[in-house]
């Protein structure tokens, strides 16, 4: 999908970030175009805006972070999106990855457990002119059944195991990418549903905030 013309003064920084992602091995042109066309500076607090286009995670309040762009690009690339998908995102955070997804799929539902973050993300998405997305508040470890099934699911927080409701909400042929935290060591997994079969592939290492919820960690322990 085409990048939006942004008309701001951050274009050079975005181009440099895209080049860095390319050098790190991101090959999916649609993902690179999405990063080049999404104003990350609108999704971070003013105090860290000068770092918006560095390839680093940044604090967004409520003890949470906007993830590193290269990690997000790798996740999105692993979903092999074609533009026709209905996507579910767990962990809206700042809304930046929601905005990236909106350029790569037909429709996005994003679930965030912290109401203030969800409200700020909705505001940032509106300011950035992002459409075909809805941000809802809830426990994303349960998925979001009213809009299921989904062709693609991306989880931006690490739970102890693959949440069974998310597998159940994957359409036939659907792909899910998620980090898992097993005894403090994190791994990224891709889960693909093919008919009755569910294929799990380990993709690499990860470093994410905890997924808190019924199929995640207990908030008391984190
Ligand atoms: N992708 C986001 C972005 O671009 O800013 C960053 C997400 S941040 C690393 C992880 C988010 O997951 C946090 O905002 C956290 O509140 C949220 N989270 C944790 N457990 C959750 C759950 N069970 N349901 C929904 N959101 C959850």
């Amino acid at each position: 999908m085409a990048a939006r013309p942004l008309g701001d003064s951050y274009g050079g920084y975005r181009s440099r970030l895209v080049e860095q992602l390319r050098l790190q091995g991101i090959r999916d042109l649609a993902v690179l175009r999405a990063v080049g066309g999404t104003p990350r500076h609108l999704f971070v607090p003013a105090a860290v805006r000068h770092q918006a286009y560095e390839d680093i995670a940044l604090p967004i309040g409520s003890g949470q972070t906007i993830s590193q762009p290269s990690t997000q690009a790798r996740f999105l690339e692993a979903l092999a999106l074609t533009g026709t998908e209905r996507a579910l995102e767990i962990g809206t955070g700042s809304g930046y990855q929601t905005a990236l997804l909106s350029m790569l799929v037909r429709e996005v539902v994003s679930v965030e457990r912290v109401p203030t973050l969800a409200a700020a993300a909705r505001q940032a998405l509106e300011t950035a002119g992002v459409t075909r997305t809805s941000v809802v508040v809830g426990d994303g470890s349960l998925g979001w059944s009213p809009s299921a099934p989904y062709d693609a699911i991306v989880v931006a927080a690490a739970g102890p195991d693959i949440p069974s409701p998310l597998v159940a909400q994957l359409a036939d042929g659907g792909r899910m990418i998620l980090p898992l935290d097993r005894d403090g060591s994190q791994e990224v997994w891709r889960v693909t549903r093919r008919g009755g079969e569910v294929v799990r592939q380990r993709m690499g290492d990860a470093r994410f905030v905890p997924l808190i919820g019924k199929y995640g960690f207990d908030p008391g322990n984190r």
Side-chain angles (χ1 to χ4, degrees):
M1 253 165 250
R4 286 176 281 261
L6 296 177
D8 60 37
S9 55
Y10 291 87
Y13 297 106
R14 272 191 297 277
S15 302
R16 205 174 60 189
L17 176 58
V18 168
E19 194 46 37
Q20 278 178 32
L21 299 184
R22 207 192 298 275
L23 289 172
Q24 289 182 51
I26 302 298
R27 293 279 170 268
D28 186 325
L29 290 181
V31 171
L32 292 170
R33 271 200 297 269
V35 173
T38 303
R40 192 171 188 250
H41 63 280
L42 295 181
F43 293 88
V44 300
V48 293
R49 194 155 290 154
H50 60 289
Q51 294 178 289
Y53 294 100
E54 291 177 27
D55 187 22
I56 53 176
L58 292 167
I60 55 171
S62 303
Q64 304 300 326
T65 53
I66 177 174
S67 309
Q68 203 176 351
S70 53
T71 302
Q72 295 181 317
R74 223 164 264 129
F75 268 45
L76 295 172
E77 185 168 65
L79 288 171
L81 300 167
T82 63
T84 59
E85 291 87 357
R86 297 181 66 247
L88 175 68
E89 177 187 45
I90 308 303
T92 315
S94 67
Y96 174 67
Q97 184 166 258
T98 324
L100 294 178
L101 259 178
S102 78
M103 294 183 72
L104 297 166
V105 302
R106 182 158 53 97
E107 188 188 339
V108 186
V109 176
S110 185
V111 188
E112 172 55 55
R113 70 179 282 273
V114 180
T116 50
L117 289 179
R122 278 191 206 105
Q123 182 62 58
L125 288 163
E126 193 184 327
T127 305
V130 175
T131 56
R132 293 173 290 106
T133 66
S134 48
V135 174
V136 295
V137 174
D139 174 5
S141 76
L142 300 168
W144 189 256
S145 56
S147 308
Y150 303 96
D151 308 297
I153 300 180
V154 54
V155 185
D161 218 331
I162 300 171
S164 53
L166 296 184
V167 177
Q169 290 173 28
L170 262 187
D172 190 13
R175 290 86 65 199
M176 167 161 65
I177 186 106
L178 78 170
L180 294 180
D181 184 330
R182 288 175 168 146
D183 303 323
S185 159
Q186 292 193 9
E187 299 173 342
V188 179
W189 286 78
R190 181 168 56 195
V191 177
T192 309
R193 175 186 278 276
R194 291 198 196 105
E197 200 192 355
V198 175
V199 180
R200 298 168 176 80
Q201 291 166 272
R202 189 182 180 283
M203 306 291 289
D205 298 330
R207 199 153 139 241
F208 278 85
V209 298
L211 180 76
I212 307 287
K214 182 166 181 199
Y215 291 86
F217 289 106
D218 182 338
N221 295 335
R222 295 275 151 173

